[in-house]
Amino acid sequence: QEKEGYYEQLNQLVSKFKGTYYDYRMTSELLEIYGSTISRLRGLGQILEARYSIGDTPQQDILKNQVEISNLDETVVELKQRHKILLARMNTLLNRPTGTILKVKSGWDSFTQIKAPLKNLLEVAERYRPWLKKSDLQIQQAEFEHKLAKKELLPDFDFGGGWRFRQGTPGDPVGGEDFFSAGFSMNLPIYAGKKQKKEIAAAYYQKRVQEHLKQATKQEVLFQVEQTFHQLNQLKSQLDILKRRTLPQAHAAVKSSRINYEADEIDFLNILTNEVALLNQRLKQAKYYYEHEKKIAEMEMATGLPIHLLNEMPNKEVTHDKSPEDI
């Protein structure tokens, strides 16, 4: 039980670290997105000031642009502080000083896929999740204690024997001869109704408690797997729509508004609105991607196996003889 409890704690610790790791990388990605947007708006501000100098742009357009840049700068300050906090958290989870510098790669990795269907994932969780394996062992312990309690209804027998050496003394009728002694005792459960049977009943109900706890634990684990599976599909669909439709449309809107603005067909507010819309779509894309990777880590925790073993499930049987550290 202690071994499986240790593996469950390790399982949850790995998931917690991966969640913090992807939050850190997402924060880095958001800082880059905000930085590039601020650079574009500042470049646009130079154009506005040039147009204002010749009377082609009202001063309010310059002020609107500056206000938007200030709002973005404020968000960047918040993100930088969050970046430092997440770095300290990762070091804490790694049992290192909070100021230790970690080399964390930037940019996107390949999109992590789960090839196993939901049915297989549920079966894997039932078999490999340490939390459930610990529950099984607790039931076994309760069953064993119940069997031992039943044995208390049987009488206890005790046999004994010994050889004693004696020295002769004046007046000793046997002249100091050695002798052998033997004994027999029996303990009868004459108060079985008051004591032993109650202990048996207590052990039986303890076993029932462990069985109900196992069922509740199983339901919770299976819910975690199914919920995470559907959340992964949702994030994957949202990211796909964003990449194929929404984000290209936002880029096209920004490009078109700049051309029309230079042709004096629209006002500056249209450009600013489209820039903000593009920023929001880029932020969404980064959040969807890293939330998806965090959900992958949650699926690993819920099933008790890392992703590379989960993806082998449809093709071959997975053995779990190695410890979680080895895996």
Side-chain angles (χ1 to χ4, degrees):
Q1 289 179 36
E2 292 299 322
K3 178 182 176 182
E4 296 301 334
Y6 162 75
Y7 285 161
E8 177 61 26
Q9 289 186 357
L10 180 61
N11 187 34
Q12 295 187 18
L13 177 62
V14 170
S15 177
K16 186 181 295 185
F17 176 80
K18 286 186 175 182
T20 307
Y21 167 77
Y22 284 120
D23 279 338
Y24 180 86
R25 288 188 57 184
M26 180 174 67
T27 304
S28 300
E29 184 80 17
L30 298 184
L31 283 170
E32 291 181 10
I33 293 172
Y34 275 105
S36 63
T37 302
I38 290 172
S39 295
R40 286 201 306 274
L41 291 181
R42 284 177 177 162
L44 188 59
Q46 294 176 354
I47 297 174
L48 290 173
E49 290 176 0
R51 290 173 64 107
Y52 172 73
S53 63
I54 60 176
D56 286 347
T57 296
Q59 188 179 23
Q60 64 179 5
D61 288 349
I62 298 176
L63 296 176
K64 287 177 183 177
N65 189 60
Q66 291 175 346
V67 168
E68 191 60 40
I69 291 174
S70 297
N71 289 335
L72 297 182
D73 282 336
E74 185 179 350
T75 304
V76 166
V77 171
E78 182 180 346
L79 286 173
K80 286 182 177 179
Q81 291 304 314
R82 176 171 172 75
H83 206 248
K84 294 178 182 178
I85 293 171
L86 290 170
L87 179 61
R89 183 57 177 160
M90 281 197 294
N91 279 316
T92 301
L93 293 172
L94 291 173
N95 195 28
R96 297 175 180 177
T98 56
T100 304
I101 298 176
L102 296 177
K103 294 182 179 180
V104 180
K105 58 183 177 181
S106 60
W108 289 24
D109 295 326
S110 58
F111 196 68
T112 307
Q113 301 278 358
I114 287 188
K115 300 176 183 178
L118 178 58
K119 178 182 177 182
N120 288 40
L121 294 172
L122 294 172
E123 292 174 353
V124 169
E126 284 192 60
R127 183 174 179 183
Y128 294 105
R129 179 72 184 269
W131 194 11
L132 290 178
K133 294 168 80 173
K134 181 179 180 180
S135 295
D136 287 333
L137 293 171
Q138 289 172 330
I139 292 174
Q140 291 179 24
Q141 177 185 346
E143 289 175 345
F144 189 74
E145 290 174 348
H146 184 227
K147 291 178 181 179
L148 287 177
K150 286 183 177 180
K151 292 183 181 295
E152 292 296 323
L153 292 174
L154 301 176
D156 289 334
F157 299 94
D158 189 20
F159 299 91
W163 186 275
R164 184 171 182 181
F165 298 94
R166 300 197 305 175
Q167 294 180 352
T169 58
D172 188 353
V174 295
E177 293 183 359
D178 299 339
F179 70 90
F180 171 79
S181 63
F184 166 77
S185 64
M186 181 173 61
N187 184 15
L188 297 175
I190 58 177
Y191 296 105
K194 294 182 178 179
K195 184 178 179 181
Q196 283 85 357
K197 288 185 178 179
K198 289 184 179 180
E199 290 177 353
I200 293 171
Y204 170 77
Y205 286 115
Q206 181 61 30
K207 184 182 79 168
R208 295 286 293 164
V209 167
Q210 293 300 332
E211 289 172 346
H212 285 299
L213 288 175
K214 163 67 185 300
Q215 183 61 24
T217 302
K218 177 181 174 182
Q219 291 297 107
E220 180 63 25
V221 168
L222 296 183
F223 170 74
Q224 287 178 356
V225 173
E226 187 161 356
Q227 180 187 44
T228 306
F229 181 82
H230 294 310
Q231 288 173 336
L232 281 168
N233 285 335
Q234 174 189 329
L235 288 166
K236 183 179 177 181
S237 298
Q238 289 175 314
L239 190 57
D240 185 59
I241 292 172
L242 194 65
K243 290 172 65 177
R244 289 190 299 106
R245 289 160 35 187
T246 312
L247 198 56
Q249 291 169 355
H251 278 289
V254 169
K255 184 177 180 180
S256 175
S257 62
R258 289 210 175 210
I259 294 173
N260 292 331
Y261 178 73
E262 292 174 1
D264 289 330
E265 295 180 1
I266 59 173
D267 58 13
F268 172 72
L269 184 59
N270 281 275
I271 293 183
L272 197 57
T273 301
N274 288 327
E275 284 285 355
V276 172
L278 176 59
L279 169 65
N280 290 332
Q281 297 308 315
R282 293 182 67 195
L283 294 175
K284 272 187 180 181
Q285 185 183 29
K287 289 178 180 179
Y288 287 161
Y289 172 79
Y290 288 108
E291 283 298 321
H292 182 274
E293 300 307 296
K294 286 171 63 177
K295 291 299 175 184
I296 292 289
E298 289 180 19
M299 182 63 81
E300 292 177 321
M301 187 269 293
T303 57
L305 287 181
I307 185 64
H308 70 277
L309 292 182
L310 285 177
N311 285 335
E312 293 177 359
M313 294 309 294
N315 302 320
K316 63 180 181 179
E317 181 68 17
V318 175
T319 58
H320 198 205
D321 297 330
K322 295 183 179 181
S323 69
E325 298 100 318
D326 296 329
I327 294 176

